[in-house]
Amino acid sequence: GAVVSQHPSRVICKSGTSVKIECRSLDFQATTMFWYRQFPKQSLMLMATSNEGSKATYEQGVEKDKFLINHASLTLSTLTVTSAHPEDSSFYICSAMTGTNSPLHFGNGTRLTVT
Amino acid sequence: QKEVEQDPGPLSVPEGAIVSLNCTYSNSAFQYFMWYRQYSRKGPELLMYTYSSGNKEDGRFTAQVDKSSKYISLFIRDSQPSDSATYLCAMSPSNDYKLSFGAGTTVTVRA
């Protein structure tokens, strides 16, 4: 079964509003979670690494003020897309490891549509 | 040149056939290799995870890693329509959790 839960699975919002996406690790503690973005028929692009209790590490080209990441507990990381615009419409997926040197497990993704 | 190369397909096979997928990579530091299956509008699901050269089998799935050739493969035996999905290879260096993904290969198994 899924070890990473992501919510919501789908969200539609108006341009200029903010959207929060939650990623929870089930039955394990995740000191590190990862946020990816996926465009149609393309592979996953790492946006940022979320570290519990500290600031997230963003990949080059990803605006940290637009994509706010908070990892307030060992089981929850949130991604907030601020002042969303239609070009932010995408599939956002979080992931976490169940242990050291273990493979990543992914959530089921959130499809964001900005109108 | 991309760090990980994967033919995007699409690949269409009849039910029962063997599906053969592969990726090549350029970074010799990669030590951990994974295959994920992704259904439409879903997150990737881990299928296979290996960290050494050779073969690993799990049910109908066999993963092969050839580090000398920088080449990994996934074989699906007795393919079923439910295997129709996009298959992503991924890899990372030891103790580095940033995965490098292939583009994904879309597979359709025809009933």
Side-chain angles (χ1 to χ4, degrees):
Chain A
V3 295
V4 178
S5 175
Q6 192 171 337
H7 179 80
S9 59
R10 182 179 298 181
V11 59
I12 300 173
C13 71
K14 292 186 177 180
S15 187
T17 61
S18 295
V19 173
K20 180 184 284 188
I21 302 169
E22 292 187 348
C23 180
R24 294 182 184 273
S25 58
L26 306 180
D27 300 327
F28 72 98
Q29 295 180 334
T31 55
T32 304
M33 291 184 176
F34 302 89
W35 287 95
Y36 289 83
R37 184 173 181 176
Q38 187 176 33
F39 290 103
K41 299 189 184 301
Q42 294 188 27
S43 192
L44 285 77
M45 181 189 78
L46 179 65
M47 297 176 66
T49 302
S50 171
N51 302 297
E52 187 270 334
S54 64
K55 292 182 178 180
T57 303
Y58 291 82
E59 295 299 301
Q60 191 173 9
V62 178
E63 298 176 60
K64 61 180 180 181
D65 294 329
K66 180 158 191 66
F67 298 101
L68 299 179
I69 291 173
N70 186 294
H71 196 151
S73 77
L74 288 171
T75 59
L76 173 65
S77 175
T78 60
L79 168 68
T80 301
V81 183
T82 62
S83 187
H85 290 285
E87 57 266 30
D88 298 324
S89 298
S90 190
F91 194 51
Y92 293 88
I93 314 173
C94 70
S95 66
M97 294 183 298
T98 56
T100 304
N101 288 338
S102 64
L104 279 181
H105 291 269
F106 288 84
N108 262 333
T110 297
R111 183 159 302 281
L112 170 64
T113 302
V114 185
T115 61
Chain B
Q1 182 187 7
K2 292 182 181 178
E3 204 169 34
V4 181
E5 297 278 359
Q6 182 178 8
D7 187 341
L11 183 63
S12 179
V13 300
E15 183 174 359
I18 295 175
V19 176
S20 174
L21 304 165
N22 57 74
C23 290
T24 58
Y25 61 95
S26 56
N27 188 346
S28 58
F30 288 142
Q31 298 293 326
Y32 294 85
F33 304 91
M34 287 135 277
W35 285 96
Y36 288 89
R37 176 175 63 194
Q38 186 176 24
Y39 292 113
S40 180
R41 302 184 181 185
K42 295 289 185 183
E45 171 194 8
L46 180 67
L47 284 179
M48 299 290 281
Y49 171 61
T50 60
Y51 51 86
S52 60
S53 284
N55 294 358
K56 181 177 181 179
E57 195 171 309
D58 184 0
R60 296 185 295 113
F61 299 93
T62 299
Q64 284 186 350
V65 174
D66 183 346
K67 290 184 180 179
S68 63
S69 300
K70 297 188 179 69
Y71 186 92
I72 68 170
S73 301
L74 178 71
F75 300 97
I76 308 173
R77 292 183 300 280
D78 187 25
S79 59
Q80 305 295 312
S82 58
D83 294 326
S84 298
T86 296
Y87 291 81
L88 297 154
C89 65
M91 49 199 77
S92 68
S94 300
N95 299 319
D96 184 342
Y97 306 130
K98 289 187 182 179
L99 290 183
S100 294
F101 282 90
T105 300
T106 300
V107 174
T108 300
V109 180
R110 308 185 305 272

